[in-house]
Amino acid sequence: MVGYKINSAVRVTPMVFANTRIWGIRRSNFQSEALYATLGVTAKASDKGVSPEFFIGPSLSLAHSQFYLSAGAYFGRQQKLDGGLTVNAVIPSTLTGDLPVTNSYKTGFAFGISYRFA
């Protein structure tokens, strides 16, 4: 029978972010809180190799731009069964080898907390 190996709606993953300030409050000679446009990149390993996954959305800086709260769209890879197969279906005896699957991007909501190292 065909079944799930992993079927989770939540994914926790490390990510690298690039931020560009679009609005901010400047006090004295340092920047305080600001709103940023954020692009994030991570990688997901599967039986078909490694694929990039992406995040895009706004971020709010806190604590003199040392921490960032981000919320936006996450573009992650998802495998789907091909060849007329469905979950809980009996695998045909003519099928040998790996199950036929396709990989496609699925968009979902994401949020993150990040720290600036520089």
Side-chain angles (χ1 to χ4, degrees), residues 18-34:
N19 298 308
T20 183
R21 189 168 64 98
I22 53 178
W23 179 81
I25 300 170
R26 193 174 282 278
R27 296 183 186 143
S28 300
N29 289 331
F30 65 90
Q31 179 178 320
S32 188
E33 289 72 28

Side-chain angles (χ1 to χ4, degrees), residues 33-50:
E33 289 72 28
L35 183 65
Y36 290 82
T38 303
L39 174 66
V41 178
T42 189
K44 179 187 176 203
S46 71
D47 58 340
K48 303 293 182 190
V50 177

Side-chain angles (χ1 to χ4, degrees), residues 70-111:
S70 305
Y74 185 80
F75 303 93
R77 300 290 279 180
Q78 179 182 39
Q79 289 185 334
K80 290 196 175 190
L81 288 169
D82 253 354
L85 292 175
T86 59
V87 175
N88 295 327
V90 176
I91 298 173
S93 59
T94 57
L95 181 65
T96 59
D98 293 336
L99 292 175
V101 294
T102 57
N103 285 313
S104 60
Y105 279 100
K106 180 180 179 186
T107 305
F109 174 76
F111 70 92

Side-chain angles (χ1 to χ4, degrees), residues 39-70:
L39 174 66
V41 178
T42 189
K44 179 187 176 203
S46 71
D47 58 340
K48 303 293 182 190
V50 177
S51 302
E53 297 187 338
F54 305 97
F55 169 88
I56 188 166
S59 295
L60 179 65
S61 67
L62 302 169
H64 305 293
S65 297
Q66 290 299 306
F67 291 93
Y68 297 84
L69 298 178
S70 305

